[in-house]
Amino acid sequence: QVQLVESGGGLVQAGGSLRLSCAASGSIFGINVMGWYRQAPGKERTLVATISNSGSLNYADSVKGRFTISRDIAKGTVTLQMNSLKPDDTAVYYCNAVLRPLLGTYAANYWGQGTQVTVSS
């Protein structure tokens, strides 16, 4: 059983910072990409940032220069440092991993349960 467990969400004032962490656990053969997505009320889930095994980074335009994603491949963790937060960043943030289970043949998308980030004005 593969699990992604997130931590670090909460309530912060505009201009503040939060740090989200996610750890993958279970019987995993390998992880290709880890990242974060978010979903605001009434909106679709959208990409925030991803990081590949080679260190290739991808950020949403709206978070460039404010958010930083990092990853510890050996530990199976990914972290999102969020600075200069804005009310528009308010959403449920989901950890994502493209990984191949130990007993699986193909890599697939796995999701965490989500963590709420609320930025007050």
Side-chain angles (χ1 to χ4, degrees):
Q1 186 81 9
V2 174
Q3 280 190 315
L4 300 179
V5 179
E6 302 127 332
S7 61
L11 173 64
V12 65
Q13 288 188 331
S17 298
L18 282 174
R19 186 180 181 90
L20 304 183
S21 296
C22 172
S25 64
S27 301
I28 299 171
F29 180 84
I31 303 175
N32 299 337
V33 179
M34 296 191 79
W36 293 92
Y37 290 70
R38 67 187 181 186
Q39 187 167 19
K43 296 187 178 181
E44 294 185 350
R45 190 175 299 187
T46 58
L47 178 145
V48 176
T50 61
I51 180 168
S52 71
N53 278 348
S54 64
S56 177
L57 305 174
N58 186 28
Y59 289 98
D61 287 343
S62 60
V63 307
K64 286 180 180 177
R66 300 187 298 122
F67 291 10
T68 302
I69 190 170
S70 59
R71 181 178 168 186
D72 187 324
I73 294 177
K75 295 182 179 179
T77 60
V78 64
T79 299
L80 185 68
Q81 178 65 43
M82 305 186 293
N83 298 329
S84 302
L85 282 161
K86 305 175 181 179
D88 284 349
D89 295 318
T90 295
V92 177
Y93 284 70
Y94 294 92
C95 177
N96 171 267
V98 179
L99 64 86
R100 177 183 163 185
L102 190 62
L103 298 180
T105 306
Y106 306 104
N109 266 312
Y110 286 78
W111 296 93
Q113 79 283 359
T115 185
Q116 178 70 45
V117 171
T118 303
V119 184
S120 63
S121 57

